[in-house]
């Protein structure tokens, strides 16, 4: 078809310059209708990107070359993704220094690997929050990890404030906020969250709405399924909308 004749040369040029990272394969749907039916091809040209044998993304029609490049970059997995798997296994085994080494090696090769940046920032957060903040600032707001990056940046700011409690502004919520920061610095989330929530109730605007931001950041950091998130989120919502 006409769109196929337009798209084909674009894909061929990109495949030639891609080296071994990905390969281009063409299927004539008239010759292989069963294959077209298996993969739900309803129009041509249909382009499907397979990763580890599964369709990771697709589009229909003749896209401009710059949009194809963006589509590829957004979908193609890192060629060093095994290092991410290795790092996560090391983290699970509490071999944190080894995990940091693997992540740094990965980032030396792929400085814009957002997943690796998040993992390394998480490892560094309570040991060197300034370095963690520098790492997450490299993650764009369009990244799928943007919410986590924002949570880590917020917690890093809170940890910085915890080192200078005398500089906290005056207000009804100061004492509870300072206590929450102390618990957070010691990674005692179970104790920090009630204190932050009490500030939300008593002095919502204290420290530029800091207690509300702190709760949201901690919930994001812990994860939606974490026991503390499940326990304290209803209490937080009640305080927020009281």
């Amino acid at each position: 078809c006409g769109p196929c004749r337009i798209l084909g040369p674009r894909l061929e040029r990109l495949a030639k310059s891609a080296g071994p990272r990905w390969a281009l394969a063409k299927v004539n749907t008239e010759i292989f209708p069963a294959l077209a039916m298996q993969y739900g091809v309803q129009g041509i040209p249909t382009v499907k990107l397979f990763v580890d044998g599964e369709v990771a993304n697709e589009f229909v029609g003749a896209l401009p070359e710059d949009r194809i490049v963006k589509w590829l970059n957004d979908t193609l997995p890192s060629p060093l993704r095994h290092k991410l798997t290795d790092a996560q296994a090391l983290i699970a085994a509490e071999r944190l220094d080894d995990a940091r080494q693997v992540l740094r090696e990965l980032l030396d090769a792929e400085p814009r690997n957002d997943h690796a940046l998040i993992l390394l920032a998480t490892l560094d957060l309570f040991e060197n929050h300034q370095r963690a903040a520098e790492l997450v600032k490299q993650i764009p707001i369009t990244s799928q990890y943007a919410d986590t990056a924002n949570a880590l940046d917020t917690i890093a700011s809170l940890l910085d404030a915890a080192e200078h409690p005398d500089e906290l502004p005056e207000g009804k919520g100061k004492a509870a906020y300072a206590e929450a920061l102390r618990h957070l610095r010691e990674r005692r989330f179970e104790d920090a969250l009630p204190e932050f929530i009490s500030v939300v109730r008593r002095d919502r605007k204290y420290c530029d709405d800091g207690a509300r931001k702190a709760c949201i950041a901690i919930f994001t950091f812990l994860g939606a399924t974490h026991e503390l998130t499940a326990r304290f989120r209803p209490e937080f919502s009640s305080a927020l909308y009281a």
Side-chain angles (χ1 to χ4, degrees), residues 1-8 11 25-33 35-37 39-48 58-63:
C1 67
C4 295
R5 289 195 295 270
I6 295 171
L7 182 65
L11 291 174
K26 299 180 184 180
V27 176
N28 187 321
T29 57
E30 293 182 359
I31 298 175
F32 300 99
L35 197 58
M37 184 178 295
Y39 287 102
V41 176
Q42 297 181 343
I44 56 172
T46 291
V47 179
K48 295 178 183 283
E58 61 185 288
F59 68 84
V60 179
L63 294 183

Side-chain angles (χ1 to χ4, degrees):
C1 67
C4 295
R5 289 195 295 270
I6 295 171
L7 182 65
R10 294 173 182 170
L11 291 174
E12 289 164 2
R13 282 194 300 272
L14 292 171
K16 187 175 181 180
S17 63
R21 191 171 185 199
W22 59 272
L24 176 64
K26 299 180 184 180
V27 176
N28 187 321
T29 57
E30 293 182 359
I31 298 175
F32 300 99
L35 197 58
M37 184 178 295
Q38 177 184 347
Y39 287 102
V41 176
Q42 297 181 343
I44 56 172
T46 291
V47 179
K48 295 178 183 283
L49 180 60
F50 287 79
V51 176
D52 297 330
E54 301 293 335
V55 177
N57 206 346
E58 61 185 288
F59 68 84
V60 179
L63 294 183
E65 192 162 319
D66 60 336
R67 286 186 59 191
I68 298 171
V69 170
K70 183 179 186 306
W71 178 81
L72 286 165
N73 290 337
D74 289 346
T75 308
L76 283 169
S78 165
L80 299 176
R81 63 187 184 277
H82 67 279
K83 283 190 174 290
L84 278 173
T85 303
D86 292 344
Q88 289 170 312
L90 290 167
I91 292 170
E94 298 187 357
R95 294 171 55 187
L96 304 187
D97 288 340
D98 291 336
R100 286 188 180 90
Q101 181 62 32
V102 171
L103 290 169
R104 289 182 185 124
E105 290 172 359
L106 195 161
L107 288 168
D108 284 343
E110 296 182 359
R112 304 305 303 173
N113 191 310
D114 293 350
H115 194 178
L117 286 168
I118 283 291
L119 289 176
L120 186 55
T122 301
L123 288 177
D124 285 346
L125 184 59
F126 287 93
E127 293 188 11
N128 189 328
H129 60 268
Q130 293 95 342
R131 185 167 60 202
E134 290 172 3
L135 288 169
V136 297
K137 280 180 171 60
Q138 300 175 48
I139 296 174
I141 59 173
T142 54
S143 171
Q144 63 177 306
Y145 301 101
D147 287 345
T148 304
N150 185 60
L152 293 176
D153 188 50
T154 297
I155 293 174
S157 297
L158 293 167
L159 293 172
D160 192 61
E163 294 182 350
H164 309 94
D166 294 340
E167 297 178 10
L168 289 174
E170 295 300 323
K172 291 186 296 182
K174 180 178 179 179
Y177 196 81
E179 188 70 2
L181 291 177
R182 185 176 68 82
H183 291 315
L184 179 64
R185 189 178 182 185
E186 297 170 357
R187 307 189 201 191
R188 294 166 56 186
F189 302 109
E190 187 172 4
D191 296 320
L193 282 166
E195 296 289 355
F196 281 128
I197 291 171
S198 74
V199 177
V200 172
R201 283 201 181 96
R202 296 177 54 214
D203 195 359
R204 165 72 185 274
K205 298 301 182 182
Y206 179 76
C207 208
D208 192 26
D209 207 13
R212 179 189 65 82
K213 294 174 183 177
C215 290
I216 293 172
I218 293 171
F219 293 147
T220 302
F221 177 76
L222 295 176
T225 61
H226 194 280
E227 182 268 332
L228 293 179
T229 302
R231 189 200 311 177
F232 287 107
R233 190 183 289 276
E235 186 178 344
F236 168 69
S237 298
S238 175
L240 196 61
Y241 299 110

